[in-house]
Amino acid sequence: MGIKANTVTTNREWRQIYAIYGMEQWQTLLFLLCHAIFFSLSSVVFLFYFDPICAFFNSFLSLGAAARFAAGFSGAVLGISAVCLFFAAGNFFYSALPLHYDMAQRMVGSVNDWSTVKTALDIGCGRGILLNAVATQLKKTGSSGRVVGLDRSKRTTLSTLRTANMEGVQEYVTCREGDVRSLPFGDNYFDVVVSGVFFHTVGKEYGPRTVEAAAERMRVLGEMVRVLKSDGVGVVWDLMHVPEYVQRLQDLKMEDIRVSERVTAFMVSSHIVTFRKPRQHIAGPGEVRLDWRC
Protein backbone atom coordinates (compact mmCIF):
# COMPACT_ATOMS: atom_id res chain seq x y z
CA MET A 1 0.00 0.00 0.00
CA GLY A 2 1.38 3.43 -0.93
CA ILE A 3 0.61 7.10 -1.31
CA LYS A 4 -0.24 8.79 -4.59
CA ALA A 5 1.08 12.29 -5.25
CA ASN A 6 -1.69 13.28 -7.65
CA THR A 7 -5.05 14.62 -6.60
CA VAL A 8 -8.61 13.80 -7.64
CA THR A 9 -11.36 16.35 -8.15
CA THR A 10 -15.08 16.10 -8.70
CA ASN A 11 -17.79 18.17 -10.36
CA ARG A 12 -20.73 16.91 -8.33
CA GLU A 13 -23.48 19.51 -7.95
CA TRP A 14 -23.52 21.28 -4.58
CA ARG A 15 -27.31 20.86 -4.49
CA GLN A 16 -26.87 17.09 -4.46
CA ILE A 17 -24.30 17.34 -1.67
CA TYR A 18 -26.54 19.65 0.37
CA ALA A 19 -29.58 17.39 -0.14
CA ILE A 20 -27.69 14.50 1.43
CA TYR A 21 -25.49 16.11 4.07
CA GLY A 22 -27.12 19.44 4.88
CA MET A 23 -25.16 22.01 6.90
CA GLU A 24 -23.46 20.93 10.13
CA GLN A 25 -22.85 24.47 11.39
CA TRP A 26 -25.79 26.32 9.89
CA GLN A 27 -25.92 28.66 12.94
CA THR A 28 -22.59 30.19 11.91
CA LEU A 29 -23.80 30.72 8.34
CA LEU A 30 -27.03 32.28 9.59
CA PHE A 31 -25.07 34.56 11.94
CA LEU A 32 -22.87 35.81 9.08
CA LEU A 33 -25.82 36.34 6.72
CA CYS A 34 -27.91 38.21 9.30
CA HIS A 35 -25.07 40.58 10.09
CA ALA A 36 -24.30 41.04 6.39
CA ILE A 37 -27.93 41.99 5.70
CA PHE A 38 -28.00 44.33 8.72
CA PHE A 39 -24.85 46.16 7.59
CA SER A 40 -26.16 46.30 4.00
CA LEU A 41 -29.44 47.90 5.07
CA SER A 42 -27.58 50.31 7.34
CA SER A 43 -25.34 51.43 4.48
CA VAL A 44 -28.40 51.95 2.26
CA VAL A 45 -29.97 54.12 4.97
CA PHE A 46 -26.79 56.21 5.06
CA LEU A 47 -26.95 56.56 1.27
CA PHE A 48 -30.59 57.70 1.02
CA TYR A 49 -30.68 59.77 4.21
CA PHE A 50 -27.23 61.24 4.00
CA ASP A 51 -28.17 64.88 4.69
CA PRO A 52 -30.31 64.13 7.78
CA ILE A 53 -27.55 61.90 9.11
CA CYS A 54 -25.02 64.69 8.56
CA ALA A 55 -27.28 67.04 10.51
CA PHE A 56 -27.53 64.43 13.27
CA PHE A 57 -23.74 64.10 13.48
CA ASN A 58 -23.38 67.87 13.56
CA SER A 59 -26.03 68.48 16.23
CA PHE A 60 -24.85 65.83 18.66
CA LEU A 61 -21.13 65.92 18.06
CA SER A 62 -20.69 69.54 16.88
CA LEU A 63 -18.45 68.48 14.03
CA GLY A 64 -19.32 71.31 11.67
CA ALA A 65 -17.97 70.71 8.17
CA ALA A 66 -16.47 67.42 9.33
CA ALA A 67 -19.98 66.00 9.84
CA ARG A 68 -20.26 65.09 6.14
CA PHE A 69 -16.92 63.31 6.24
CA ALA A 70 -17.91 61.42 9.41
CA ALA A 71 -21.25 60.36 7.90
CA GLY A 72 -19.64 59.33 4.61
CA PHE A 73 -16.89 57.39 6.37
CA SER A 74 -19.41 55.58 8.59
CA GLY A 75 -21.53 54.64 5.58
CA ALA A 76 -18.48 53.36 3.70
CA VAL A 77 -17.40 51.23 6.67
CA LEU A 78 -20.88 49.72 6.88
CA GLY A 79 -20.89 48.94 3.16
CA ILE A 80 -17.42 47.37 3.20
CA SER A 81 -18.34 45.36 6.31
CA ALA A 82 -21.44 44.05 4.53
CA VAL A 83 -19.37 42.94 1.51
CA CYS A 84 -16.83 41.20 3.76
CA LEU A 85 -19.56 39.41 5.69
CA PHE A 86 -21.30 38.23 2.52
CA PHE A 87 -17.93 36.96 1.25
CA ALA A 88 -17.29 35.17 4.56
CA ALA A 89 -20.73 33.55 4.43
CA GLY A 90 -20.15 32.41 0.85
CA ASN A 91 -16.73 30.99 1.70
CA PHE A 92 -18.13 29.23 4.75
CA PHE A 93 -20.88 27.58 2.70
CA TYR A 94 -18.44 26.64 -0.06
CA SER A 95 -15.94 25.21 2.44
CA ALA A 96 -18.57 23.23 4.36
CA LEU A 97 -20.05 21.51 1.30
CA PRO A 98 -18.52 21.68 -2.23
CA LEU A 99 -14.91 22.12 -1.05
CA HIS A 100 -15.29 19.54 1.72
CA TYR A 101 -16.61 17.03 -0.81
CA ASP A 102 -13.82 17.82 -3.28
CA MET A 103 -11.13 17.52 -0.61
CA ALA A 104 -12.59 14.19 0.49
CA GLN A 105 -12.11 12.90 -3.07
CA ARG A 106 -8.53 14.16 -3.05
CA MET A 107 -7.86 12.43 0.26
CA VAL A 108 -9.27 9.16 -1.06
CA GLY A 109 -7.18 9.57 -4.21
CA SER A 110 -3.99 9.87 -2.18
CA VAL A 111 -4.19 6.17 -1.21
CA ASN A 112 -2.62 4.04 -3.92
CA ASP A 113 -4.51 0.75 -3.67
CA TRP A 114 -7.91 0.46 -1.96
CA SER A 115 -8.44 -3.12 -3.09
CA THR A 116 -6.12 -4.33 -0.31
CA VAL A 117 -7.78 -2.24 2.39
CA LYS A 118 -9.82 -4.32 4.83
CA THR A 119 -10.30 -1.80 7.63
CA ALA A 120 -10.36 2.00 7.54
CA LEU A 121 -11.16 4.66 10.12
CA ASP A 122 -12.46 8.22 9.85
CA ILE A 123 -11.70 10.22 13.01
CA GLY A 124 -14.34 12.88 13.67
CA CYS A 125 -16.56 11.73 10.82
CA GLY A 126 -19.32 14.32 11.28
CA ARG A 127 -22.16 13.70 8.84
CA GLY A 128 -19.97 11.47 6.71
CA ILE A 129 -18.73 13.33 3.62
CA LEU A 130 -15.24 11.82 3.93
CA LEU A 131 -16.49 8.58 5.47
CA ASN A 132 -18.83 7.91 2.55
CA ALA A 133 -16.12 8.86 0.04
CA VAL A 134 -13.95 6.11 1.53
CA ALA A 135 -16.87 3.66 1.49
CA THR A 136 -17.63 4.53 -2.14
CA GLN A 137 -14.02 3.84 -3.08
CA LEU A 138 -14.13 0.47 -1.30
CA LYS A 139 -17.30 -0.34 -3.21
CA LYS A 140 -15.77 0.69 -6.56
CA THR A 141 -12.73 -1.53 -6.08
CA GLY A 142 -14.83 -4.51 -5.05
CA SER A 143 -13.18 -4.63 -1.65
CA SER A 144 -14.72 -6.56 1.21
CA GLY A 145 -13.40 -3.96 3.63
CA ARG A 146 -15.32 -1.64 5.90
CA VAL A 147 -14.80 1.87 7.17
CA VAL A 148 -15.56 2.94 10.74
CA GLY A 149 -16.70 6.48 11.46
CA LEU A 150 -15.88 7.72 14.96
CA ASP A 151 -17.54 10.80 16.42
CA ARG A 152 -18.03 12.29 19.88
CA SER A 153 -21.81 12.54 19.45
CA LYS A 154 -24.21 9.62 19.18
CA ARG A 155 -26.73 11.90 17.45
CA THR A 156 -24.15 12.64 14.76
CA THR A 157 -23.35 8.98 14.19
CA LEU A 158 -27.05 8.26 13.59
CA SER A 159 -27.17 11.08 11.00
CA THR A 160 -24.04 9.64 9.38
CA LEU A 161 -25.65 6.22 8.95
CA ARG A 162 -28.57 7.91 7.19
CA THR A 163 -26.23 9.67 4.74
CA ALA A 164 -24.43 6.38 4.06
CA ASN A 165 -27.78 4.82 3.20
CA MET A 166 -28.57 7.71 0.83
CA GLU A 167 -25.18 7.25 -0.86
CA GLY A 168 -25.81 3.51 -1.22
CA VAL A 169 -22.77 2.43 0.80
CA GLN A 170 -24.43 1.46 4.08
CA GLU A 171 -23.02 -2.08 3.94
CA TYR A 172 -19.48 -0.65 4.02
CA VAL A 173 -20.00 1.75 6.92
CA THR A 174 -20.02 1.36 10.69
CA CYS A 175 -20.34 4.28 13.09
CA ARG A 176 -19.21 4.50 16.70
CA GLU A 177 -19.38 7.06 19.43
CA GLY A 178 -16.07 7.47 21.24
CA ASP A 179 -13.33 9.65 22.66
CA VAL A 180 -10.84 10.65 19.96
CA ARG A 181 -8.19 11.26 22.63
CA SER A 182 -8.26 7.55 23.48
CA LEU A 183 -9.43 5.61 20.44
CA PRO A 184 -11.39 2.47 21.37
CA PHE A 185 -9.32 0.24 19.07
CA GLY A 186 -6.23 -1.92 19.48
CA ASP A 187 -2.76 -1.15 18.18
CA ASN A 188 -2.09 -1.70 14.46
CA TYR A 189 -5.77 -2.22 13.68
CA PHE A 190 -6.51 -0.17 10.52
CA ASP A 191 -5.02 -0.20 7.03
CA VAL A 192 -6.00 3.43 6.44
CA VAL A 193 -6.89 6.21 8.89
CA VAL A 194 -8.29 9.56 7.68
CA SER A 195 -9.61 12.75 9.23
CA GLY A 196 -11.06 15.87 7.63
CA VAL A 197 -11.12 19.36 9.24
CA PHE A 198 -11.44 17.88 12.70
CA PHE A 199 -8.12 17.90 14.54
CA HIS A 200 -8.17 21.70 15.03
CA THR A 201 -11.39 21.38 17.07
CA VAL A 202 -9.75 19.11 19.66
CA GLY A 203 -8.83 20.98 22.84
CA LYS A 204 -10.68 24.13 21.78
CA GLU A 205 -11.97 24.48 25.34
CA TYR A 206 -8.42 25.58 26.21
CA GLY A 207 -8.26 28.12 23.37
CA PRO A 208 -6.96 27.44 19.83
CA ARG A 209 -3.37 28.64 20.38
CA THR A 210 -2.67 27.41 23.90
CA VAL A 211 -0.09 24.80 24.87
CA GLU A 212 -2.87 22.63 26.32
CA ALA A 213 -4.82 22.63 23.05
CA ALA A 214 -1.69 21.76 21.06
CA ALA A 215 -0.98 18.88 23.44
CA GLU A 216 -4.52 17.53 22.93
CA ARG A 217 -4.14 17.69 19.14
CA MET A 218 -0.82 15.86 19.31
CA ARG A 219 -2.43 13.25 21.53
CA VAL A 220 -5.09 12.54 18.89
CA LEU A 221 -2.44 12.39 16.18
CA GLY A 222 -0.51 9.90 18.29
CA GLU A 223 -3.65 7.80 18.67
CA MET A 224 -4.11 7.91 14.91
CA VAL A 225 -0.62 6.53 14.40
CA ARG A 226 -1.08 3.93 17.14
CA VAL A 227 -4.14 2.29 15.57
CA LEU A 228 -2.63 2.38 12.07
CA LYS A 229 -1.08 -0.85 10.84
CA SER A 230 2.56 -1.03 9.84
CA ASP A 231 2.82 0.10 6.21
CA GLY A 232 -0.64 1.68 6.59
CA VAL A 233 -1.51 5.15 5.26
CA GLY A 234 -2.74 8.14 7.24
CA VAL A 235 -4.38 11.18 5.61
CA VAL A 236 -5.28 14.38 7.48
CA TRP A 237 -6.88 17.53 6.08
CA ASP A 238 -6.91 20.33 8.60
CA LEU A 239 -6.64 24.06 9.20
CA MET A 240 -3.80 26.21 10.55
CA HIS A 241 -1.89 23.68 12.64
CA VAL A 242 -0.42 21.56 9.83
CA PRO A 243 3.25 22.41 10.64
CA GLU A 244 2.69 20.98 14.13
CA TYR A 245 1.38 17.74 12.64
CA VAL A 246 4.31 17.42 10.25
CA GLN A 247 6.80 17.95 13.08
CA ARG A 248 5.07 15.39 15.28
CA LEU A 249 4.95 12.83 12.46
CA GLN A 250 8.66 13.35 11.88
CA ASP A 251 9.27 12.83 15.60
CA LEU A 252 7.32 9.58 15.38
CA LYS A 253 9.51 8.45 12.46
CA MET A 254 6.70 8.29 9.93
CA GLU A 255 7.68 7.86 6.29
CA ASP A 256 6.58 9.43 2.97
CA ILE A 257 5.24 12.54 4.71
CA ARG A 258 3.71 14.83 2.09
CA VAL A 259 1.92 18.15 2.37
CA SER A 260 -0.46 19.36 -0.34
CA GLU A 261 -0.65 22.84 -1.78
CA ARG A 262 -2.41 25.50 0.27
CA VAL A 263 -6.21 25.54 0.01
CA THR A 264 -8.27 28.32 1.61
CA ALA A 265 -11.07 26.82 3.70
CA PHE A 266 -13.25 28.63 6.22
CA MET A 267 -11.21 31.80 5.51
CA VAL A 268 -7.91 30.26 6.65
CA SER A 269 -5.12 28.14 5.19
CA SER A 270 -5.55 24.37 5.00
CA HIS A 271 -3.45 21.46 3.73
CA ILE A 272 -3.70 17.70 3.28
CA VAL A 273 -0.96 15.73 5.05
CA THR A 274 -0.31 12.13 4.03
CA PHE A 275 2.11 9.70 5.62
CA ARG A 276 2.94 6.02 5.87
CA LYS A 277 3.65 4.12 9.06
CA PRO A 278 6.93 2.20 8.73
CA ARG A 279 7.17 -1.51 9.21
CA GLN A 280 8.10 -2.33 12.79
CA HIS A 281 10.95 -4.74 13.42
CA ILE A 282 10.62 -7.54 15.92
CA ALA A 283 12.39 -6.37 19.04
CA GLY A 284 15.56 -8.30 19.62
CA PRO A 285 18.54 -7.90 21.96
CA GLY A 286 19.54 -4.25 22.13
CA GLU A 287 16.56 -3.10 20.06
CA VAL A 288 13.73 -0.86 21.22
CA ARG A 289 10.20 -1.09 19.83
CA LEU A 290 8.69 2.30 19.04
CA ASP A 291 5.78 3.46 21.22
CA TRP A 292 3.32 5.43 19.09
CA ARG A 293 1.46 6.92 22.04
CA CYS A 294 2.05 10.57 22.87
Side-chain angles (χ1 to χ4, degrees):
M1 187 184 302
I3 301 172
K4 285 199 288 189
N6 60 303
T7 59
V8 179
T9 58
T10 179
N11 293 318
R12 190 176 189 181
E13 285 285 336
W14 69 265
R15 295 179 185 84
Q16 293 177 301
I17 304 170
Y18 179 78
I20 296 172
Y21 298 100
M23 282 287 296
E24 283 195 71
Q25 297 177 326
W26 60 268
Q27 300 94 333
T28 302
L29 181 63
L30 185 62
F31 174 86
L32 292 170
L33 286 174
C34 287
H35 280 76
I37 293 170
F38 171 77
F39 280 108
S40 297
L41 293 176
S42 298
S43 64
V44 170
V45 169
F46 267 75
L47 179 64
F48 284 97
Y49 296 95
F50 186 73
D51 289 334
I53 290 172
C54 288
F56 173 83
F57 272 76
N58 189 42
S59 61
F60 279 88
L61 301 176
S62 301
L63 295 176
R68 295 184 66 83
F69 172 79
F73 179 78
S74 300
V77 169
L78 288 170
I80 293 172
S81 298
V83 171
C84 291
L85 285 166
F86 274 121
F87 178 79
N91 183 264
F92 185 89
F93 180 82
Y94 171 72
S95 300
L97 289 174
L99 179 63
H100 196 157
Y101 187 86
D102 181 66
M103 295 299 281
Q105 306 308 309
R106 296 189 194 186
M107 293 173 72
V108 167
S110 65
V111 178
N112 189 43
D113 185 8
W114 282 98
S115 64
T116 61
V117 174
K118 300 302 180 185
T119 52
L121 172 66
D122 180 9
I123 301 175
C125 62
R127 295 194 181 183
I129 292 180
L130 176 56
L131 179 75
N132 291 335
V134 171
T136 299
Q137 191 64 27
L138 291 172
K139 184 177 181 178
K140 285 180 179 178
T141 56
S143 171
S144 59
R146 294 179 68 85
V147 56
V148 179
L150 186 78
D151 199 272
R152 293 173 288 195
S153 169
K154 184 175 181 179
R155 182 177 179 181
T156 301
T157 59
L158 293 175
S159 298
T160 305
L161 290 173
R162 285 195 291 269
T163 64
N165 184 60
M166 295 174 71
E167 291 279 22
V169 293
Q170 63 274 15
E171 66 272 21
Y172 294 89
V173 170
T174 302
C175 290
R176 287 189 60 172
E177 178 187 4
D179 183 5
V180 297
R181 296 174 176 89
S182 180
L183 296 177
F185 307 103
D187 297 356
N188 306 302
Y189 191 85
F190 294 99
D191 299 299
V192 174
V193 182
V194 299
S195 182
V197 284
F198 173 76
F199 275 30
H200 71 281
T201 67
V202 178
K204 63 181 179 181
E205 63 270 20
Y206 300 108
R209 298 190 181 277
T210 61
V211 174
E212 294 83 358
E216 292 294 282
R217 291 191 296 271
M218 295 307 99
R219 182 178 177 184
V220 177
L221 185 60
E223 282 290 286
M224 179 182 192
V225 172
R226 177 183 66 80
V227 301
L228 188 62
K229 289 180 181 179
S230 298
D231 209 35
V233 175
V235 189
V236 178
W237 171 42
D238 205 28
L239 316 176
M240 300 180 293
H241 307 293
V242 168
E244 297 177 11
Y245 306 150
V246 173
Q247 182 60 55
R248 183 57 183 162
L249 290 170
Q250 290 173 341
D251 293 342
L252 292 172
K253 310 301 183 185
M254 295 297 103
E255 298 177 350
D256 296 336
I257 301 173
R258 295 175 181 171
V259 181
S260 73
E261 74 283 358
R262 177 182 181 273
V263 176
T264 300
F266 301 101
M267 303 295 290
V268 297
S269 175
S270 76
H271 298 269
I272 294 175
V273 180
T274 57
F275 65 92
R276 183 174 60 82
K277 186 174 178 179
R279 293 182 176 89
Q280 299 181 50
H281 297 286
I282 298 175
E287 294 184 357
V288 178
R289 185 182 296 277
L290 291 175
D291 183 3
W292 307 113
R293 295 179 178 84
C294 291

